[in-house]
Amino acid sequence: MRLNLFPLLVIAVVLFVVLNLSAGLIWVERRLLALWQDRYGPNRVGPFGLGQILADSIKLFTKEDWIPPFADKPVFILAPAIVVATSLISFAVVPFAPGFVIADLNIGILFLLAMSSLGVYSVVLAGWSSNNKYSLLGGIRAAAQMMSYEVFMGLSLLGSVILAGSFRLTDIVEAQRGLWFVVPQFLGFILFLIAGVAETRRLPFDLAEAESELIAGFHSEYSGMKFGMFFVGEYIGVILVSAAISLLFFGGWLGPVLPPALWFAVKTMFFICLFILLRAALPRPRFDQLMSWGWKVMLPLALVNLLVTGAVVLARR
Amino acid sequence: MTTLFYLAGILAIVATLLAITQRHAVHALLYLIVSLLAVAVEFFVLGAPFVAALEIMIYAGAIMVLFVFVVMMLNIAEHAMEVERGSLKPRNWLGPALLALVLLGELVYCTATTRGTPSLTGVTGPKQVGEALFGNYWIGVELASLLLMAGLVGAFHLGRHRIAKEEKHHVTSTDATRTDTRSDLVHAGSGGTSHAA
């Protein structure tokens, strides 16, 4: 009986941790941004302003949920659900500690990539169904950006896959027992980090919402909890990419003294903070710069990385 | 597992039917995506998780996004609905239905005469798929990649040609306006001062 209940327990724990963390990240991000910009940030509600999370959630849940009459109603409602669903489903293959994983698929990495490629629909459909030119522009930008960056996101991971000889995430973590893959795969790590930022549409790659030119891009027409879904979905995406970076390049749960799950949490949290620091530090590029950078610099570099890694592994055999 | 298989199968058929009969281009595409996802589940249940992942990544995640992207960009949904209304007349169903009936007959004949039932037990991992593709079938893989490369180069050539032409046209037309109106900034300014003087 215990065997049957264990996966359900894991699912419950993962859902609880991820959803709470993504809500909490709203506060973390605002406080950290404030720290780096020499301000205080939200510090009024509760200790350290922690009550801000609760206040924000209550605000989002009780706001009027307005669907514009000119929108394509079924697609408009479907779009915000897709982003949260795909990024939450991705956590099914993420191993938090040895044995603590919902589904240890032998195609774990491909599952992650497949889910992230389905996540594009959310933004594209939101932009299209809003029937608003700014939303449409945001949706088109998002589609072009995410498709281009997905290509070398997959390619940059393949170096780690070659070194570990498996698509299974637990195997990849175990293969890093001697040396974290960030050392032999440094180029792959940098490429994946950039692709991850672009894939989650965070600054400096947030051209799909670019509030100074497109109001809010694809979610201009959204309000209430539907907007909240995009908001939370973005943070879940950030957690997912950070977790993927720590699993694929920084040895996941491996580490001395501390329990495995704690190591994993520390590493993931470090990359989440890096994401926020990037937002505080970098300006937004122009859209054509973003596209030509992706296709003309990142893609060839990812291919070279793959070629060299493959050649070295073959030569060593 | 067998229940899952049939459930996903029914879902795929219903979604495909809806994709054909929907008049709205984007809605039809969404049903097509659902149908592709259902087929991916079929692959997974049949013991080919690798193919299932590729189906989602490539068909649902990349090709269909391009379709949606183009429909969005051209914003042809309104016009396409008119065209669809015409092509969904009962008379137009006859030909395709007959052809599909022939295919159905072949399928029924094959399943009735051969005893092999699809196995729901054996699992084909990514390694076997890779070995088959780059071992037995490598000529096919190479030919497909050559074809794709040719398509890519061709598309690049066509696109580049038009852009270069447009730019040239733009440059000559601006030059023409400039000489016609003599609206060059330096000329206008110097002319103005000489008049005044």
Side-chain angles (χ1 to χ4, degrees), chain B residues 1-78:
Chain B
M1 274 311 202
T2 324
T3 329
L4 266 183
F5 178 82
Y6 285 113
L7 200 66
I10 291 167
L11 203 65
I13 293 170
V14 171
T16 313
L17 279 178
L18 282 170
I20 298 169
T21 50
Q22 277 285 323
R23 290 206 188 95
H24 199 295
V26 174
H27 293 178
L29 280 174
L30 286 178
Y31 281 116
L32 192 53
I33 294 161
V34 172
S35 141
L36 287 169
L37 293 179
V39 172
V41 173
E42 296 276 48
F43 280 130
F44 193 86
V45 174
L46 282 174
F50 186 63
V51 181
L54 288 189
E55 169 100 12
I56 294 181
M57 273 171 75
I58 295 171
Y59 283 98
I63 295 178
M64 294 317 290
V65 176
L66 272 178
F67 272 53
V68 174
F69 184 66
V70 170
V71 170
M72 245 170 69
M73 276 263 275
L74 303 179
N75 210 0
I76 51 168
E78 299 294 318

Side-chain angles (χ1 to χ4, degrees), chain A residues 54-122:
Chain A
L54 199 67
D56 276 350
S57 331
I58 292 173
K59 182 190 79 177
L60 276 177
F61 272 112
T62 50
K63 265 191 177 176
E64 186 188 356
D65 193 7
W66 161 250
I67 299 174
F70 47 79
D72 189 315
K73 209 173 166 193
V75 183
F76 189 83
I77 295 170
L78 182 71
I82 295 176
V83 66
V84 177
T86 54
S87 34
L88 277 181
I89 291 172
S90 306
F91 277 95
V93 293
V94 172
F96 291 82
F100 199 83
V101 53
I102 297 170
D104 198 13
L105 290 179
N106 63 352
I107 48 156
I109 286 190
L110 293 178
F111 188 85
L112 275 186
L113 290 174
M115 282 305 132
S116 88
S117 65
L118 285 185
V120 183
Y121 283 116
S122 158

Side-chain angles (χ1 to χ4, degrees), chain B residues 31-152:
Chain B
Y31 281 116
L32 192 53
I33 294 161
V34 172
S35 141
L36 287 169
L37 293 179
V39 172
V41 173
E42 296 276 48
F43 280 130
F44 193 86
V45 174
L46 282 174
F50 186 63
V51 181
L54 288 189
E55 169 100 12
I56 294 181
M57 273 171 75
I58 295 171
Y59 283 98
I63 295 178
M64 294 317 290
V65 176
L66 272 178
F67 272 53
V68 174
F69 184 66
V70 170
V71 170
M72 245 170 69
M73 276 263 275
L74 303 179
N75 210 0
I76 51 168
E78 299 294 318
H79 173 65
M81 271 163 89
E82 293 303 312
V83 178
E84 279 286 294
R85 217 161 267 149
S87 57
L88 281 176
K89 274 178 198 150
R91 207 159 51 89
N92 297 332
W93 282 86
L94 259 172
L98 269 177
L99 293 175
L101 212 63
V102 174
L103 275 181
L104 184 69
E106 283 182 8
L107 192 71
V108 169
Y109 177 75
C110 286
T111 42
T113 48
T114 53
R115 300 214 160 265
T117 47
S119 74
L120 295 173
T121 45
V123 172
T124 319
K127 205 166 238 172
Q128 284 99 307
V129 176
E131 273 168 5
L133 276 182
F134 292 98
N136 277 340
Y137 302 109
W138 69 270
I139 287 195
V141 174
E142 292 297 323
L143 283 177
S145 58
L146 268 180
L147 186 68
L148 287 176
M149 190 71 195
L152 198 65

